């Protein structure tokens, strides 16, 4: 059974020997390849080769294609920095005049962004190379609520959420951001990837209350998931931090994969999601994968597998992006532990 088959069986809730392994490790891929972030983001052939080499080196079941968290925001007019030695970041919101500026988002066409095009071409090359031998997940940057916070300014948007007088404006901003995210979903679905995904970290309990999540973020996440399924691909979502308080809400989303961070209660996640949603995660990329001893990594991996032994569906993965300095032996320890687990 190959990686693609193993993950598709896991998504279907079928017992297939051992759990599949995926890593959110584009930064580690870059460092292992010995190239710069600038070379990686500017050369799709090189970026694709970097992902391919890493997936074959570790015999991963899946390839998770990711570049940064600034590409969509940059395509919408945010001022972004593209340093040679690290991932791109936004440094100034696009909507400098607040809600008065937001209707200009309706005219955004992300296909004009070279960074979007490079991301898509990388996914196309990797998908063509592996076909249906490995599961290809093309991350599509930010979901609507998180993108809206970048376009408007995170602190400023958090303040607006408290003001009932501008609630209609907030929903309009999220709707326009959602339309941008859907553009990426539709384009990525045409590259041959089996799954598309988004991050919506700002929508998690670390930033807003569960009530605000339901009021402002949940509906856009659902509509984006529906868009992915209309395009014929699986859909995954990532929320950073402890998402335990909103697991019941997440269960109602039409998700195939939910990438959860290490702070989330995995026992509750397995119980609540059951056979409906497959969890991807939840190994701590810092304290465990980067800094932990191999015995600690082994025990944390076993603990995760134990939590899902009798209930729930699981793709073993880092709970968030892996550090570029994560040792090769630490990744191999996770993989060996998963495949030896009985």
């Amino acid at each position: 059974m190959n990686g693609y088959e193993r993950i598709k069986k896991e998504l279907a809730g079928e017992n297939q020997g051992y759990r599949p392994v995926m890593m959110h490790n584009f930064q580690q891929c870059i460092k292992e390849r010995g190239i710069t972030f600038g070379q990686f983001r500017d050369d799709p052939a090189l970026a694709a080769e970097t992902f391919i080499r890493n997936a074959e080196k570790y015999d991963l079941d899946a390839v998770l294609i990711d570049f940064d968290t600034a590409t969509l925001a940059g395509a919408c007019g945010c001022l972004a920095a593209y340093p040679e030695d690290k991932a791109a970041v936004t440094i100034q919101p696009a909507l400098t005049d607040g809600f008065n500026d937001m209707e200009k988002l309706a005219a955004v066409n992300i296909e004009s962004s070279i960074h979007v095009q490079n991301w898509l071409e990388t996914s196309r090359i990797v998908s063509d190379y592996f076909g249906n031998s490995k599961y290809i997940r093309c991350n599509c940057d930010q979901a609507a609520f998180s993108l809206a916070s970048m376009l408007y300014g995170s602190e400023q948007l958090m303040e607006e959420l408290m003001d009932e007088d501008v609630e209609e404006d907030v929903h309009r901003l999220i709707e326009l951001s959602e339309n941008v995210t859907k553009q990426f979903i539709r384009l990525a679905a045409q590259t041959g990837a089996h799954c598309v995904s988004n991050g919506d970290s700002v929508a998690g309990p670390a930033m807003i209350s569960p009530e605000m999540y339901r009021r402002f973020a949940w509906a856009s996440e659902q509509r984006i998931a529906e868009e992915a399924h209309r395009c014929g691909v699986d859909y995954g979502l990532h929320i950073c931090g402890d998402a335990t308080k909103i697991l019941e809400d997440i269960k109602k989303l039409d998700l195939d994969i939910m990438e959860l961070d290490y702070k989330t209660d995995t026992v509750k996640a397995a119980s609540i999601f059951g056979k409906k949603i497959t969890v991807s995660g939840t190994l701590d990329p810092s304290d465990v994968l980067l800094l932990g001893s191999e015995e600690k990594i082994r025990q944390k991996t076993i603990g995760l597998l134990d939590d899902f032994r009798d209930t729930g569906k699981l793709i073993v993965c880092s709970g968030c992006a892996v550090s570029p300095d994560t040792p090769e032996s630490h990744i191999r320890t996770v993989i060996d532990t998963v495949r030896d687990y009985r």
Side-chain angles (χ1 to χ4, degrees), residues 39-60:
Q39 291 172 314
F40 175 79
R41 77 169 67 93
D42 292 338
D43 186 340
L46 180 59
E49 180 192 2
T50 299
F51 282 119
I52 290 166
R53 282 192 182 193
N54 185 270
E56 292 185 328
K57 174 180 178 178
Y58 293 103
D59 191 24
L60 295 167

Side-chain angles (χ1 to χ4, degrees), residues 72 75-76 104-113 116-117 120 140 142 147 175-190 196 198 224 227 231:
L72 278 183
C76 291
K104 68 183 182 183
L105 298 175
V108 168
N109 177 3
I110 68 168
E111 289 187 82
S112 64
S113 164
V116 169
Q117 289 298 332
L120 293 169
C140 295
Q142 303 299 294
L147 179 58
E175 176 190 356
L176 290 164
S177 301
E178 176 189 322
N179 291 338
V180 172
T181 298
K182 285 178 177 177
Q183 287 186 48
F184 208 166
I185 294 292
R186 290 191 290 270
L187 293 168
Q190 298 173 38
V196 296
N198 295 112
I224 292 167
E227 185 74 11
C231 293

Side-chain angles (χ1 to χ4, degrees), residues 2-23:
N2 63 36
Y4 168 78
E5 293 167 336
R6 183 166 290 109
I7 288 187
K8 291 302 283 186
K9 283 186 174 293
E10 191 71 28
L11 296 179
E14 299 177 13
N15 188 336
Q16 33 78 45
Y18 59 81
R19 306 287 189 167
V21 180
M22 177 191 302
M23 281 290 154

Side-chain angles (χ1 to χ4, degrees), residues 25 111 159 177 221 232 280 284 297 327:
N25 65 333
E111 289 187 82
E159 292 178 3
S177 301
E221 292 174 352
S280 177
D284 182 347
I297 295 167

